[in-house]
Amino acid sequence: MNASLIGRLDCLLSFATIAQKNNYVRPHLFDNDILDIKDGRHPVIEKQLPVGEEYIANDIYLDNQKQQIIIITGPNMSGKSALLRQTALIVLMAQMGSFVPAKHAYLGLVDKIFTRVGASDNISSGESTFMVEMNETASILNNLSNRSLILLDEIGRGTSTYDGISIAWAIAEYIHENPSVKAKTLFATHYHELNEMTNSMHRVKNFNVSVKEVGNKVLFTRKLIPGGSEHSFGIHVAKMAGMPKKVLDRANQILAQLEGEREGKESGIGGSERKINLKLGGDNKKQELRIKNQEPRANNQEVFVETINKQPSTENLQLSFFQLNDPVLENIKDELQKTDINTLTPIEALMKLNEIKKMIGG
Amino acid sequence: MAKNKTPTKTGTAESETPLMKQFNGIKAKYPDALLLFRVGDFYETFGSDAVKTANILGIVLTKRANGYASFIELAGFPYHSLDTYLPKLVRAGQRVAICDQLEDLKLTKTIVKRGVTELVTPGVTFNDKVLEHKSNNFLASVYLGEKISGVSFLDVSTGEFLVAEGNLEYIDKLLQSFRPSEVLFQKNKKKLFIETFGEKFYTYGLDDWAFSSDFGNDLLLKHFDTKSLKGFGIENLKQGIIAAGAALHYLADTAHDKVKHITTISRIEEEKYVWLDRFTIRNLELFNSQNDNAKTLIDIIDQTVSPMGSRMLKRWLALPLKDKVSIEERLEVVNYFLSNRETNELIIQQLELIGDLERIISKVATARISPKEVVQLKRALTAIEPIKVVCENSKNTSLQKIAEQLNPCKLVIERIEKEIMPEPPYLIAKGNVIAEGVNAELDDLRKISYSGKDYLLQIQQRESELTGISSLKVAFNSVFGYYLEVTNTHKNKVPSTWIRKQTLTTAERYITPELKEYEEKILGAEVTFPPFS
């Protein structure tokens, strides 16, 4: 008995110590569905900033009536994930009985917190990252409540762009349209296509983590502002990461090409042969998830090599290869379309390049 | 097990030595544990155990003859290094059976009786070196049921015992929250277990019969000495009880019979806490991070000074509350501390003195406490009184409530103060533990021991004067104890009451009734109170 009382005192003193040391405030708790955090900070990250740098605090407001789901767009590294996590951590700390890193926090008590991160690097365990991601997400959708807080970080990233967008969309829709429960959701994504959801779902709101383009460079302001974002900045990030200029130029070119193509044929961009059967709801055991990934092997290499030798190797001409009906070229096209540059690390980008090179027998 | 027909002490050509026979017999009972076999001043390991031990500890692997034309690997370390080596073995994922000599070498003519006194596994240990002060060391037990499964968490080092049941997802979440050091499961459900919970836990499969409803119920009732489990609010947790029963069974199995400090079992009330599933706990990096060096939330918020606080904070983080009243109560105290700095500092100062009160108390219950820790217990309890006073005088109702419940244990403090030396050694065998004035016989014996030399000198001097033997000496040997030695020149002066025991070339040795009586006291003291000196 003594021991647990002492433990309790010790914990509460610890809360007092951190509150004072880190400038936390007492949260105001309510039995309602509103989360209103003013100038919230990430308790761990704010302690690790270099001296002199200040953590950019952000406001988050969610409720079940008007602003149930927030779609946060913004490029990689802009702080989307930190923003999601800090929201959960603030709620969690408050419900432990601790003060919280914010200017003020009005919190409706939460009964479940779910967070999912797309394509977390689970390669070592041998599972398909996408499969893991879908498994994890399914378990949320089967356990929703009115007092749930859901954080989805780049869900759908583990598959091709269009699959990813579709799945992310469907998940958001499910949460929004669920007739019995309204779960508060923060959805971070770099698919700015998801911004279009606001058109059909009125409790979805768009926000973006603003970035400023100064000249040809991106400046991260890490401030959350209302509204969607136009396009992503993956290539800029690649530049910051020190990618060779050649790769960047090429990426820009391909992007322009792909974006042009997309406008051409709006739906059903082919290439991806994946079929996803996702039955959501009900028992998650019954969830079926079939992914067929048929990648036709490059069986025609000699022909291709011949072709490439005949062609002058200017970049523009190479692009036009895609119009040929050569299966190898089709493969490369597929591969490029499937590749989401935004999610690639520099190393992965180089590996991809290497892969493509191998396809043409280089 | 043993192939020899007639074991003899010397070991004939075909037979094993009696020692190896005994070893094999004990090893057969603990086939999956590494057996530390006490031989004299050493803990030895044999055969494949020795190979493993040598590998893990980096000690020398030797071979020795074991009967005719056979050799056995051998690795060992001095018994007093057990505290150094045991944690390494356990951390390397070994179950370690400690086999001690159960009788005094001097009292037996044949081979010493030996038996396993403790089976140390990652989830069941009292060893300070194995235990992490800031974390609980839970032994989890999982019963996979048809629809609902049960789970229990037991920390023998603190006496905490928790039980819960629910679907597999819930069990999984709890395992992630409590991060047990060892998980028990049904041997026949191994495949399902691994499929559901992965392979990241240190696991141990128990036979199916250990996981049964009646068995578990009986064990729990017997352990808590109650007629029903209603008082603990768990009587309806059928699956949970099965899991808890298996955990208790495992304790008995690992030779932990003194577990009366586990005085209660409580239900983890699902509806009281915020649901955090394992992905969330992982994604939010509450306790661990995928990056080794990264800081986690617990690193930031854990500013506790006592191990109890640190362990409780981890629990709080894994199980945040949903009930507004209880949360506000905590916030109110934090608020009070923030506006009353002096109170903080006063309490923190005292908390620092307390140390790991919880685990010390468990050691008292299991009779594993060292004399030094008894004094630490006194120090810890002494620190409670000032805390109680501070809380009582605070204007915060929940602090006052804590004050009310805090028990300064004055009687215990007084008794320790009176009965235990202020600075006793760590090992009881070193002596100087019990204070003076506690036990008259002990005091008497101590006096004899301390003043033993004086007393002998007195006898020597007195007899020398009485008999005029100037070279008289009092000495001791193991054959006939204390004796008086008289050189040949003085032989004729020896009084007739002395009994001659031995004749040497230059001297004669005698005993007297007085010396014998003194001797008996000394030897008696050693038997009654080995650590009396």
Side-chain angles (χ1 to χ4, degrees):
Chain A
M1 195 64 203
N2 272 346
S4 77
L5 291 168
I6 293 298
R8 186 179 170 85
L9 273 177
D10 200 359
C11 286
L12 294 169
L13 275 168
S14 177
F15 285 160
T17 309
I18 53 168
Q20 189 209 337
K21 216 168 79 181
N22 305 333
N23 219 354
Y24 294 167
V25 298
R26 178 171 180 168
H28 301 271
L29 304 173
F30 301 95
D31 274 315
N32 63 20
D33 326 304
I34 299 169
L35 283 187
D36 182 6
I37 299 168
K38 174 96 180 130
D39 281 343
R41 311 184 309 270
H42 191 296
V44 182
I45 297 177
E46 74 166 344
K47 300 294 288 178
Q48 291 172 315
L49 291 174
V51 188
E53 199 172 318
E54 212 176 297
Y55 190 84
I56 308 291
N58 271 308
D59 305 345
I60 286 283
Y61 178 89
L62 284 167
D63 64 29
N64 287 12
Q65 281 73 45
K66 292 191 177 117
Q67 193 155 303
Q68 184 202 346
I69 300 176
I70 292 183
I71 305 288
I72 303 171
T73 45
N76 303 41
M77 278 175 62
S78 61
K80 294 192 300 283
S81 305
L83 183 57
L84 254 57
R85 287 189 175 85
Q86 85 188 28
T87 309
L89 292 178
I90 287 172
V91 168
L92 219 147
M93 286 170 74
Q95 297 196 209
M96 282 172 77
S98 165
F99 284 22
V100 296
K103 200 165 166 197
H104 68 66
Y106 298 97
L107 307 172
L109 290 168
V110 161
D111 64 0
K112 293 175 182 183
I113 300 177
F114 299 103
T115 69
R116 291 299 180 270
V117 178
S120 49
D121 294 318
N122 231 332
I123 296 153
S124 54
S125 72
E127 291 173 277
S128 145
T129 58
F130 183 65
M131 180 76 185
V132 172
E133 190 182 321
M134 286 302 109
N135 266 330
E136 292 184 2
T137 313
S139 83
I140 298 185
L141 300 182
N142 296 324
N143 285 299
L144 294 180
S145 77
N146 269 322
R147 293 281 180 88
S148 297
L149 173 63
I150 308 177
L151 308 173
L152 300 172
D153 193 353
E154 301 282 12
I155 284 298
R157 171 162 83 172
T159 181
S160 74
T161 309
Y162 290 94
D163 281 354
I165 292 174
S166 327
I167 289 172
W169 187 296
I171 290 171
E173 200 172 74
Y174 180 92
I175 296 171
H176 186 267
E177 300 300 321
N178 195 313
S180 48
V181 291
K182 307 258 171 288
K184 288 176 280 296
T185 306
L186 289 177
F187 199 141
T189 179
H190 60 266
Y191 295 142
H192 43 88
E193 289 85 348
L194 292 180
N195 285 152
E196 284 158 36
M197 281 194 292
T198 45
N199 298 337
S200 53
M201 296 176 239
H202 69 278
R203 285 189 307 280
V204 177
K205 294 287 178 309
N206 288 331
F207 279 81
N208 74 86
V209 183
S210 58
V211 267
K212 274 188 195 143
E213 236 176 316
V214 180
N216 210 14
K217 278 186 195 153
V218 176
L219 212 75
F220 294 110
T221 60
R222 303 190 194 284
K223 200 75 190 166
L224 187 70
I225 51 170
S229 64
E230 284 303 303
H231 57 104
S232 68
F233 293 81
I235 294 175
H236 286 288
V237 176
K239 188 172 174 185
M240 288 176 63
M243 280 272 225
K245 191 171 178 306
K246 249 188 163 171
V247 177
L248 294 171
D249 288 347
R250 185 81 182 106
N252 266 323
Q253 230 166 6
I254 295 173
L255 182 69
Q257 166 91 8
L258 290 177
E259 278 183 346
E261 224 171 83
R262 188 164 69 206
E263 268 150 43
K265 31 177 176 172
E266 191 55 59
S267 62
I269 292 265
S272 165
E273 304 231 358
R274 292 167 175 221
K275 267 191 195 131
I276 310 273
N277 262 335
L278 193 62
K279 245 194 258 164
L280 298 168
D283 190 350
N284 68 337
K285 284 281 164 212
K286 277 189 204 135
Q287 173 144 138
E288 270 178 40
L289 215 143
R290 245 181 286 139
I291 303 170
K292 254 195 237 162
N293 196 352
Q294 302 163 329
E295 279 172 294
R297 287 274 139 241
N299 49 7
N300 219 347
Q301 287 185 355
E302 287 107 284
V303 182
F304 181 75
V305 173
E306 225 169 84
T307 334
I308 200 165
N309 284 342
K310 281 182 203 155
Q311 296 290 342
S313 62
T314 70
E315 287 154 350
N316 286 336
L317 277 174
Q318 264 186 21
L319 267 180
S320 67
F321 277 5
F322 290 135
Q323 277 129 36
L324 295 177
N325 275 337
D326 188 296
V328 178
L329 296 179
E330 281 287 325
N331 274 348
I332 295 178
K333 183 176 158 190
D334 287 356
E335 204 54 51
L336 282 175
Q337 269 170 353
K338 261 192 286 177
T339 306
D340 187 309
I341 292 161
N342 289 315
T343 63
L344 288 187
T345 66
I347 299 289
E348 281 169 349
L350 287 175
M351 306 260 281
K352 196 96 230 163
L353 209 58
N354 192 34
E355 224 177 283
I356 294 173
K357 206 174 165 202
K358 272 198 185 126
M359 279 176 152
I360 59 169
Chain B
M1 183 67 222
K3 283 173 207 139
N4 51 331
K5 288 158 266 169
T6 48
T8 59
K9 204 166 182 196
T10 44
T12 56
E14 280 171 307
S15 69
E16 307 164 292
T17 61
L19 184 80
M20 284 316 293
K21 181 175 150 48
Q22 193 184 36
F23 169 82
N24 285 331
I26 295 172
K27 177 77 186 169
K29 284 190 216 154
Y30 299 93
D32 46 9
L34 203 151
L35 189 60
L36 293 182
F37 200 67
R38 178 79 181 261
V39 182
D41 282 345
F42 276 76
Y43 279 111
E44 297 286 3
T45 53
F46 299 103
S48 58
D49 283 357
V51 178
K52 267 189 237 162
T53 307
N55 254 331
I56 296 169
L57 301 180
I59 57 176
V60 184
L61 182 69
T62 54
K63 278 182 182 170
R64 83 166 201 193
N66 175 34
Y68 173 69
S70 82
F71 286 88
I72 186 155
E73 290 89 353
L74 183 86
F77 51 80
Y79 77 96
H80 53 77
S81 309
L82 184 66
D83 276 354
T84 321
Y85 287 128
L86 181 62
K88 290 185 187 163
L89 291 171
V90 176
R91 279 200 210 109
Q94 296 295 327
R95 311 160 56 72
V96 182
I98 301 170
C99 176
D100 280 312
Q101 298 175 168
L102 299 179
E103 47 188 7
D104 195 325
L105 263 177
K106 290 170 205 139
L107 301 180
T108 177
K109 290 270 173 338
T110 57
I111 188 163
V112 190
K113 213 162 116 195
R114 291 182 171 87
V116 169
T117 49
E118 188 179 1
L119 178 63
V120 182
T121 75
V124 185
T125 174
F126 289 93
N127 189 303
D128 283 330
K129 304 268 167 43
V130 180
L131 291 170
E132 184 92 40
H133 269 300
K134 297 194 143 207
S135 325
N136 270 109
N137 195 56
F138 280 118
L139 167 74
S141 163
V142 174
Y143 171 72
L144 297 167
E146 294 277 315
K147 270 191 193 135
I148 295 176
S149 296
V151 65
S152 76
F153 296 93
L154 173 63
D155 186 341
V156 285
S157 67
T158 63
E160 289 158 284
F161 201 1
L162 303 163
V163 65
E165 60 181 40
N167 58 15
L168 290 178
E169 212 172 359
Y170 181 53
I171 308 288
D172 189 27
K173 161 204 141 63
L174 287 177
L175 285 175
Q176 189 79 15
S177 305
F178 283 87
R179 294 173 303 143
S181 311
E182 183 172 357
V183 184
L184 305 174
F185 65 98
Q186 298 130 284
K187 240 184 208 164
N188 56 345
K189 298 249 173 89
K190 183 169 187 180
K191 206 170 146 236
L192 177 62
F193 182 89
I194 287 173
E195 268 170 21
T196 321
F197 305 115
E199 295 187 73
K200 55 189 178 296
F201 294 109
Y202 176 88
T203 54
Y204 189 73
L206 289 182
D207 285 327
D208 205 29
W209 59 262
F211 287 91
S212 78
S213 195
D214 292 344
F215 181 73
N217 214 26
D218 287 353
L219 265 184
L220 288 174
L221 290 179
K222 212 172 113 206
H223 177 86
F224 295 115
D225 203 12
T226 50
K227 290 236 156 55
S228 88
L229 295 172
K230 273 200 183 114
F232 303 110
I234 62 163
E235 81 277 11
N236 293 327
L237 302 181
K238 205 164 163 245
Q239 274 72 14
I241 287 171
I242 295 176
L248 278 185
H249 165 71
Y250 186 67
L251 280 192
D253 227 23
T254 50
H256 292 87
D257 41 3
K258 291 192 186 108
V259 286
K260 282 292 167 201
H261 64 294
I262 304 169
T263 52
T264 180
I265 179 165
S266 45
R267 192 160 76 92
I268 302 171
E269 292 165 81
E270 187 183 353
E271 62 284 351
K272 251 174 78 178
Y273 305 110
V274 176
W275 172 279
L276 298 171
D277 58 14
R278 72 178 156 112
F279 310 112
T280 302
I281 293 169
R282 195 178 63 208
N283 288 341
L284 290 178
E285 304 194 331
L286 300 183
F287 301 106
N288 297 320
S289 168
Q290 293 182 337
N291 299 335
D292 289 338
N293 302 324
K295 284 219 166 167
T296 59
L297 185 64
I298 194 78
D299 296 331
I300 301 289
I301 63 171
D302 186 359
Q303 303 287 329
T304 55
V305 282
S306 76
M308 282 85 69
S310 191
R311 290 193 291 261
M312 186 174 283
L313 192 65
K314 290 205 170 76
R315 190 95 47 85
W316 283 12
L317 180 54
L319 302 170
L321 300 170
K322 279 196 315 206
D323 169 46
K324 187 159 177 279
V325 178
S326 339
I327 302 173
E328 292 287 0
E329 195 181 336
R330 289 185 189 173
L331 287 170
E332 202 50 54
V333 179
V334 178
N335 205 29
Y336 179 83
F337 281 142
L338 275 173
S339 43
N340 293 276
R341 291 289 157 67
E342 330 76 64
T343 318
N344 285 7
E345 271 156 37
L346 260 167
I347 301 183
I348 289 178
Q349 274 171 14
Q350 296 301 320
L351 284 179
E352 278 165 357
L353 298 174
I354 286 186
D356 206 338
L357 180 61
E358 205 170 13
R359 281 190 175 148
I360 287 186
I361 292 172
S362 295
K363 283 188 180 170
V364 173
T366 52
R368 282 164 201 273
I369 193 162
S370 73
K372 224 188 168 91
E373 286 166 327
V374 174
V375 174
Q376 169 59 32
L377 174 64
K378 182 193 83 184
R379 224 174 292 143
L381 292 175
T382 315
I384 288 180
E385 178 73 35
I387 295 178
K388 191 177 163 82
V389 172
V390 171
C391 292
E392 245 162 27
N393 295 336
S394 76
K395 288 179 190 66
N396 181 289
T397 43
S398 42
L399 282 181
Q400 286 164 357
K401 217 159 67 191
I402 289 178
E404 219 170 88
Q405 292 170 327
L406 276 175
N407 183 348
C409 303
K410 287 207 178 108
L411 282 176
V412 180
I413 298 176
E414 269 169 33
R415 237 190 109 184
I416 296 176
E417 198 137 286
K418 220 176 88 197
E419 298 183 5
I420 304 289
M421 293 276 193
E423 299 225 350
Y426 188 76
L427 291 172
I428 193 158
K430 290 253 161 78
N432 256 332
V433 174
I434 306 293
E436 259 172 61
V438 175
N439 181 308
E441 197 183 351
L442 175 65
D443 288 345
D444 201 26
L445 291 169
R446 265 198 187 130
K447 211 181 280 164
I448 291 170
S449 165
Y450 289 140
S451 55
K453 264 209 175 119
D454 282 357
Y455 190 70
L456 289 171
L457 269 176
Q458 273 172 26
I459 294 180
Q460 188 181 317
Q461 251 169 19
R462 193 189 65 212
E463 292 299 320
S464 174
E465 273 165 26
L466 277 176
T467 57
I469 305 170
S470 53
S471 62
L472 190 74
K473 259 194 323 195
V474 177
F476 178 84
N477 76 16
S478 58
V479 183
F480 47 86
Y482 289 98
Y483 58 86
L484 292 158
E485 190 173 296
V486 181
T487 49
N488 287 343
T489 34
H490 297 288
K491 215 158 72 180
N492 50 353
K493 293 177 190 162
V494 170
S496 57
T497 47
W498 294 11
I499 306 149
R500 195 173 68 212
K501 273 293 188 187
Q502 196 178 23
T503 304
L504 309 176
T505 43
T506 56
E508 301 266 343
R509 288 172 176 177
Y510 301 87
I511 56 168
T512 70
E514 191 191 11
L515 272 178
K516 283 300 116 186
E517 196 184 309
Y518 174 77
E519 188 184 304
E520 258 163 40
K521 266 189 179 169
I522 291 266
L523 293 180
E526 270 174 10
V527 173
T528 335
F529 296 99
F532 79 103
S533 61

